[in-house]
Amino acid sequence: MVGLKPSDVPPPLGVKVLSAGTAACIADLVTFPLDTAKVRLQIQGEKAVTGAAKGIRYRGVFGTISTMVRTEGPRSLYNGLVAGLQRQMAFASIRIGLYDNVKSFYTRGKDNPNVGIRILAGCTTGALAVSVAQPTDVVKVRFQAQMNLQGVGRRYSGTMKAYRQIFQHEGLRGLWKGTLPNITRNALVNCTELVSYDLIKEAILKHKLMSDTLPCHFVSAFGAGFITTVIASPVDVVKTRYMNSPPGQYHSSLNCAWTMMTKEGPTAFYKGFVPSFLRLGSWNVVMFVSFEQLKRAMMMSRSRIEATS
């Protein structure tokens, strides 16, 4: 990422890809309950509920978490974690790990790329990552949406069974359901997140407000998380609703967005904004701090190995 001194050796592609995927998994482990709460808030009001779920209503992020713990148990907060970790290893390693290399490709190796090049690189790696990792995202969202209550049918009993059932009942299109809104969302998220982090960190270092250490990474990541949430939240809600929907409920992602607008109004697009921000802000902090530290640790280990060989 930014902030490397001229004397620093840029980490090779393998180090960036591995450290990005690992850092994203660490961030997911820490923030997954917030993501689950966000999904539950986003799908609330989508359809009528029956049976044991009828009296359950979620109010706010922490109210959602406490309601889930009380009615479904603490394990419900980590519904879909396996698919979530699979997603990050396939997704973050591409969208974050390849970002610097794609940026260099567009600038033909020149330093200090402009904002347009950074946005283009972020959109490119974000779209590429979604194309590869979409099935893991579909399974993750559906697990997070299903309730662990007596009398409420569970759609899936295991991660691998979920992949198999979706393929059997909905075909390959089911596994890649919502790819268009997800590409749109993640192109927005990726370019906003990475470009914001890049620019904030660059400005902090340029004006010598902080050195290239943990506090600088924390502030840059938190700012990037807030900016990203504001821009990407409407697309994120549509993506979640559409991927979680049974076959036939919506004709397309655009139909899903139009149905939300006509039935629930424009505020529906910002459902779950607080948990989205809490999740993205905290996720960004954990991920970028871990990413920077893992990169450095891997480079130090590599240098020691090379020195002894």
Side-chain angles (χ1 to χ4, degrees):
M1 301 299 291
V2 298
L4 288 172
K5 299 172 184 175
S7 58
D8 288 338
V9 178
L13 179 61
V15 168
K16 287 187 281 191
V17 168
L18 181 59
S19 55
T22 305
C25 286
I26 293 169
D28 248 28
L29 285 168
V30 173
T31 64
F32 207 79
L34 292 170
D35 192 43
T36 303
K38 178 202 75 172
V39 168
R40 291 292 181 93
L41 283 166
Q42 286 176 338
I43 65 171
Q44 184 166 254
E46 181 182 27
K47 56 186 177 181
V49 293
T50 56
K54 197 168 186 179
I56 296 175
R57 182 162 183 81
Y58 304 118
R59 299 182 187 278
V61 56
F62 297 112
T64 300
I65 289 172
S66 64
T67 299
M68 289 180 66
V69 171
R70 189 180 72 251
T71 57
E72 303 173 55
R75 289 183 63 183
S76 64
L77 298 174
Y78 283 90
N79 276 354
L81 178 63
V82 173
L85 296 179
Q86 291 171 347
R87 174 181 179 268
Q88 292 302 350
M89 284 309 296
F91 180 68
S93 56
I94 294 173
R95 77 176 184 93
I96 298 168
L98 295 183
Y99 172 69
D100 282 340
N101 292 71
V102 172
K103 195 167 58 175
S104 295
F105 172 77
Y106 285 136
T107 60
R108 297 180 182 177
K110 295 178 182 177
D111 293 329
N112 301 318
N114 60 40
V115 174
I117 292 294
R118 297 179 203 226
I119 290 173
L120 182 59
C123 289
T124 301
T125 59
L128 179 62
V130 171
S131 301
V132 173
Q134 181 68 6
T136 60
D137 206 11
V138 171
V139 172
K140 178 185 80 79
V141 166
R142 292 192 182 187
F143 263 102
Q144 288 175 312
Q146 72 179 8
M147 292 183 167
N148 300 332
L149 294 171
Q150 286 188 343
V152 177
R154 288 172 60 84
R155 294 171 81 178
Y156 311 108
S157 58
T159 305
M160 299 315 294
K161 284 184 179 179
Y163 288 116
R164 188 163 58 249
Q165 282 180 239
I166 293 170
F167 176 72
Q168 287 172 345
H169 297 138
E170 302 173 48
L172 280 175
R173 291 184 64 181
L175 288 170
W176 267 269
K177 187 173 187 178
T179 300
L180 180 60
N182 212 12
I183 283 178
T184 305
R185 180 219 178 234
N186 280 293
L188 279 172
V189 166
N190 206 46
C191 69
T192 307
E193 189 177 79
L194 294 176
V195 172
S196 298
Y197 182 81
D198 245 1
L199 294 175
I200 293 169
K201 184 179 173 185
E202 207 170 67
I204 289 172
L205 296 175
K206 183 179 179 181
H207 294 92
K208 298 180 180 179
L209 301 175
M210 298 177 188
S211 59
D212 189 7
T213 52
L214 195 147
C216 173
H217 305 156
F218 179 94
V219 172
S220 303
F222 190 81
F226 179 76
I227 295 168
T228 304
T229 308
V230 172
I231 292 174
S233 192
V235 183
D236 188 38
V237 176
V238 173
K239 179 212 78 165
T240 300
R241 290 275 185 102
Y242 186 59
M243 287 199 305
N244 183 58
S245 64
Q249 184 172 354
Y250 303 116
H251 303 304
S252 65
S253 55
L254 289 175
N255 175 247
C256 178
W258 178 251
T259 303
M260 286 172 59
M261 174 64 80
T262 54
K263 289 189 175 180
E264 301 173 60
T267 56
F269 292 98
Y270 279 92
K271 273 191 172 183
F273 179 84
V274 173
S276 287
F277 170 58
L278 288 174
R279 196 261 177 180
L280 257 180
S282 56
W283 193 92
N284 269 273
V285 168
V286 177
M287 195 286 297
F288 278 116
V289 169
S290 300
F291 181 48
E292 300 276 11
Q293 302 309 311
L294 283 167
K295 263 197 314 185
R296 290 180 182 182
M298 286 183 187
M299 287 301 290
M300 287 175 65
S301 298
R302 186 168 177 260
S303 298
R304 281 197 292 264
I305 292 167
E306 288 176 351
T308 57
S309 60

